Amino acid sequence: MALFGTVDAISKDDDAWLAQAVQLAVENVAAGGGPFGAIVVHDGEVVASGVNRVTHDLDPTAHAEVVAIRAACQALGTFSLAGSMLYSSCEPCPLCLAAALWSRVDRVVFAADRDDAARGGFDDRAFYDLFGSDRATWPTSVRNLRVEGCESPFDAWLARPDRTPY
């Protein structure tokens, strides 16, 4: 199984799908939420959508793309969205980009970019920059402390003949 999809061509439907994601974002702002919307398209159909629900759900991971990916996985009954596309009203932040990669979507297409987000007060660039810097300089301490048996969950995983790789 390939780790990542290889579809990169612009689709004739990209504009319409992006317009839907942007409209979701505008509607979410009107409802008191953040300015982000996303949809997952599979076999030419929208299988799920999501809007930013961070403040509504008190969940810092409830970004539009993550919400849409979670809903699409449930709708399709799988943790792999291979064969699907993620359309977002704005360039995905590192959290959302990682979620898209883990979900194995074939493509991520976005409308506004990180500069537009920064103008709106969402400067994702800080996180992109942070990941490229030495962890010792991060504002949150992230340290490795190996304890006895720390490999045992992986040993248990590898010993299961019925495990589902992902």
Side-chain angles (χ1 to χ4, degrees):
M1 175 172 78
L3 180 59
F4 302 109
T6 58
V7 178
D8 192 31
I10 298 296
S11 163
K12 63 180 176 58
D13 298 320
D14 286 348
D15 286 348
W17 298 131
L18 284 173
Q20 273 190 257
V22 169
Q23 185 58 39
L24 283 171
V26 170
E27 291 169 4
N28 197 48
V29 170
F36 303 97
I39 62 171
V40 175
V41 174
H42 187 83
D43 290 336
E45 300 289 329
V46 175
V47 295
S49 64
V51 294
N52 182 284
R53 297 184 54 87
V54 170
T55 58
H56 181 274
D57 292 353
L58 304 178
D59 178 354
T61 68
H63 293 199
E65 297 90 340
V66 173
V67 171
I69 287 168
R70 289 174 179 161
C73 288
Q74 291 300 306
L76 295 173
T78 181
F79 60 84
S80 173
L81 296 179
S84 301
M85 279 75 63
L86 174 65
Y87 291 90
S88 179
S89 63
C90 188
E91 182 176 4
C93 72
L95 168 78
C96 296
L97 187 55
L101 294 171
W102 273 110
S103 75
R104 307 297 196 265
V105 294
D106 287 358
R107 298 173 65 222
V108 176
V109 183
F110 59 88
D113 63 19
R114 63 182 76 177
D115 295 320
D116 299 309
R119 187 178 65 78
F122 300 88
D123 197 357
D124 300 344
R125 183 181 355 267
F127 290 109
Y128 278 106
D129 292 346
L130 180 70
F131 292 138
S133 67
D134 182 348
R135 281 189 186 175
T137 66
W138 289 15
T140 300
S141 177
V142 178
R143 300 287 185 253
N144 180 223
L145 177 60
R146 296 189 65 84
V147 297
E148 186 175 336
C150 65
E151 310 93 348
S152 60
F154 298 105
D155 295 338
W157 169 257
L158 291 170
R160 285 193 65 110
D162 62 340
R163 68 183 180 270
T164 302
Y166 63 97

